[in-house]
């Protein structure tokens, strides 16, 4: 049996994404088949399409086109194995990570650190398709009142931001936080989560339009980072104190300014390096101010379930920039590449 999908046989620019007939997935034991109702697009998809070596390897090994898409919500239409907690017709969100489940990290509850974990749509075929298969244990049931689009927005961006701010940096009510690139998907998710926690939010973005959106979603102060040292603005706005937490995902270009923005006992939490891997630090200032620098890698299924719970209660309503038909995946990629979106872009088969 075949299905419609956006798939590619070699990596490259958006024109490699072809809407085509491909084989429908066949289930192994303990897997489910899901009819995709919404798949959110992530910047990772663009890297995967362009040049990520894992994708190149998969294309070479399988000789089959690759299907992107890690953020998937839909309906279960087939189940293999015995899974009494799941029923055909269930509305589900798929947790994007497939951890090994047996290594010390998995056993300690840090499945996000598992060395052999796979990501849906990356090492496996994903949700830019009519149907996708996944391990049954990745299914998270969602209530009827949570839309597939809103559910699909949660996994990568919101889970990353949630793990960064609540689990790693332990952001508290009343603290000050600086969120870099508040228009991007992790930035805008971080903005909403920081608001939910009750922090005072300083947000940067590159255009006045994005800054006004950031204000709408709860930023207390906004900074256009073009042509300014944002750390100077932060120090001015906080009477020289700095912020308690910086949400950093830019890397080399902002690293030193991000550290200079921290207050005493400040925490910098990083999940990305879009501008480069290497950053300098003044070690003396670091220990004198008792700074903490921490990394953060996606999050766990338990945390994703918490986010689903918040979304089901409308305490967290994901920001959706636009919804496009699956055929328009190239347009969705262009939207993200040009950084014109504020919030998630979702594809509907
Ligand atoms: Zn593992």
């Amino acid at each position: 049996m075949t299905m419609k999908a956006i798939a590619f046989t070699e990596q490259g620019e958006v024109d490699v994404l072809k809407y085509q007939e491909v084989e429908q997935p066949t289930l192994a034991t303990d897997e489910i088949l899901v009819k995709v109702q919404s798949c959110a697009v992530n910047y990772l998809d663009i890297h995967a399409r362009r040049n990520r070596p894992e994708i190149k390897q998969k294309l070479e090994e399988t000789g089959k086109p690759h299907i992107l898409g890690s953020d998937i919500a839909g309906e279960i239409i087939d189940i293999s194995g015995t899974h009494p907690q799941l029923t055909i017709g269930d509305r589900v969100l798929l947790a994007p990570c497939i951890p090994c489940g047996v290594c010390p990290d998995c056993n300690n509850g840090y499945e996000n650190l598992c060395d052999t974990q796979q990501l849906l749509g990356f090492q496996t075929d994903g949700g830019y398709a009519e149907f996708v298969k996944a391990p049954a244990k990745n299914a998270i049931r969602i209530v009827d009142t949570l839309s597939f689009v809103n559910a699909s927005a949660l996994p990568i961006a919101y889970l990353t931001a949630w793990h960064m701010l609540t689990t790693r940096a332990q952001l508290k009510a009343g603290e000050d936080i600086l969120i870099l690139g508040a228009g991007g998907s992790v930035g805008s998710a971080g903005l909403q989560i920081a608001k939910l926690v009750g922090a005072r939010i300083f947000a940067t973005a590159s255009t006045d339009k994005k800054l006004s959106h950031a204000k709408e979603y709860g930023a207390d102060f906004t900074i256009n980072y073009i042509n300014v040292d944002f750390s100077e603005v932060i120090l001015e706005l906080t009477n020289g104190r700095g912020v308690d937490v910086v949400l950093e995902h830019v890397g080399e270009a902002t690293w030193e300014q991000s550290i200079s923005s921290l207050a005493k006992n400040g925490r910098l939490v990083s999940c990305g390096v879009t501008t480069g891997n290497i950053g300098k630090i003044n070690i003396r200032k670091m220990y004198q101010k008792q700074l903490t620098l921490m990394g953060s890698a996606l999050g766990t299924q338990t945390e994703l379930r918490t986010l689903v719970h918040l979304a089901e209660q409308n305490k967290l309503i994901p920001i959706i920039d636009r919804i496009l038909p699956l055929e328009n995946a190239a347009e969705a990629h262009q939207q993200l590449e040009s950084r014109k979106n504020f919030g998630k872009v979702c594809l509907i088969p």
Side-chain angles (χ1 to χ4, degrees), residues 99-103 105-106 114-116:
C100 80
V102 293
C103 73
D105 292 315
C106 282
C114 175
D115 284 327
T116 56

Side-chain angles (χ1 to χ4, degrees), residues 193-253:
I193 291 165
K195 189 73 187 167
L196 194 64
V197 168
R200 185 168 69 153
I201 303 165
F202 301 77
T204 73
S206 57
T207 67
D208 290 342
K209 193 174 164 204
K210 284 185 183 180
L211 293 172
S212 85
H213 280 312
K215 275 240 152 116
E216 262 171 60
Y217 288 106
D220 297 279
F221 298 92
T222 56
I223 303 164
N224 190 323
Y225 65 77
I226 304 291
N227 301 326
V228 300
D229 178 337
F230 63 77
S231 66
E232 284 173 10
V233 183
I234 288 290
L235 293 177
E236 224 174 271
L237 291 171
T238 57
N239 296 320
R241 179 181 176 271
V243 295
D244 301 291
V245 172
V246 176
L247 185 159
E248 169 55 78
H249 52 89
V250 182
E252 212 161 303

Side-chain angles (χ1 to χ4, degrees), residues 13 48 76 89 110 138-139 155 164 213 217 221 225 229 254 264 296:
E13 294 308 309
I76 296 182
Y110 302 118
N138 283 51
M164 290 175 90
H213 280 312
Y217 288 106
F221 298 92
Y225 65 77
D229 178 337
T254 52
K264 291 172 188 165
S296 188

Side-chain angles (χ1 to χ4, degrees), residues 4-305:
K4 292 274 193 215
I6 289 280
F8 58 94
T9 45
E10 42 176 352
Q11 289 171 301
E13 294 308 309
V14 286
D15 56 356
V16 300
L17 298 174
K18 298 271 193 292
Y19 191 58
Q20 56 189 279
E21 292 279 338
V22 297
E23 275 173 53
Q24 228 184 73
T26 46
L27 299 188
T29 314
D30 298 323
E31 287 185 331
I32 53 171
L33 189 65
V34 170
K35 183 175 195 305
V36 180
Q37 297 288 358
S38 177
C39 181
V41 177
N42 288 291
Y43 214 87
L44 181 67
D45 303 357
I46 291 166
H47 292 302
R49 188 202 74 220
R50 281 183 189 153
N51 52 23
R52 283 293 292 250
E54 300 91 331
I55 305 295
K56 189 165 191 272
Q57 194 186 341
K58 178 175 174 284
L59 288 169
E60 283 169 2
E61 279 174 11
T62 63
K64 288 181 182 166
H66 178 67
I67 303 170
L68 294 167
S70 309
D71 284 351
I72 305 157
E75 280 162 340
I76 296 182
I77 56 164
D78 197 8
I79 303 170
S80 78
T82 310
H83 298 280
Q85 75 283 19
L86 297 174
T87 312
I88 288 172
D90 278 352
R91 302 170 87 251
V92 291
L93 172 65
L94 295 179
C97 283
I98 308 170
C100 80
V102 293
C103 73
D105 292 315
C106 282
N107 273 316
N108 289 327
Y110 302 118
E111 79 241 22
N112 58 320
L113 300 179
C114 175
D115 284 327
T116 56
Q117 67 180 304
Q118 298 189 323
L119 188 68
L120 276 180
F122 207 67
Q123 287 93 348
T124 73
D125 282 333
Y128 287 23
E130 283 181 278
F131 305 102
V132 66
K133 71 169 188 170
K137 64 182 181 205
N138 283 51
I140 298 172
R141 280 196 301 185
I142 57 173
V143 298
D144 290 348
T145 49
L146 178 61
S147 73
F148 288 118
V149 165
N150 283 6
S152 74
L154 294 172
I156 303 278
Y158 282 82
L159 181 56
T160 297
W162 181 264
H163 187 66
M164 290 175 90
L165 297 188
T166 66
T167 307
R168 299 291 290 147
Q170 304 208 348
L171 180 69
K172 291 172 195 68
E175 285 193 318
D176 286 345
I177 179 169
L178 167 61
I179 295 175
L180 300 190
S185 53
V186 172
S188 55
L191 182 64
Q192 286 184 291
I193 291 165
K195 189 73 187 167
L196 194 64
V197 168
R200 185 168 69 153
I201 303 165
F202 301 77
T204 73
S206 57
T207 67
D208 290 342
K209 193 174 164 204
K210 284 185 183 180
L211 293 172
S212 85
H213 280 312
K215 275 240 152 116
E216 262 171 60
Y217 288 106
D220 297 279
F221 298 92
T222 56
I223 303 164
N224 190 323
Y225 65 77
I226 304 291
N227 301 326
V228 300
D229 178 337
F230 63 77
S231 66
E232 284 173 10
V233 183
I234 288 290
L235 293 177
E236 224 174 271
L237 291 171
T238 57
N239 296 320
R241 179 181 176 271
V243 295
D244 301 291
V245 172
V246 176
L247 185 159
E248 169 55 78
H249 52 89
V250 182
E252 212 161 303
T254 52
W255 182 249
E256 288 175 66
Q257 289 182 52
S258 290
I259 293 172
S260 300
S261 303
L262 287 169
K264 291 172 188 165
N265 284 321
R267 293 96 75 197
L268 180 150
V269 60
S270 163
C271 72
V273 285
T274 46
T275 61
N277 296 345
I278 308 298
K280 268 205 310 196
I281 183 163
N282 182 323
I283 302 166
R284 181 186 300 275
K285 278 190 188 160
M286 183 194 75
Y287 69 72
Q288 283 178 340
K289 289 172 80 175
Q290 293 202 145
L291 303 182
T292 305
L293 308 177
M294 53 183 87
S296 188
L298 201 57
T300 65
Q301 194 178 135
T302 307
E303 291 172 307
L304 183 56
R305 285 176 185 276

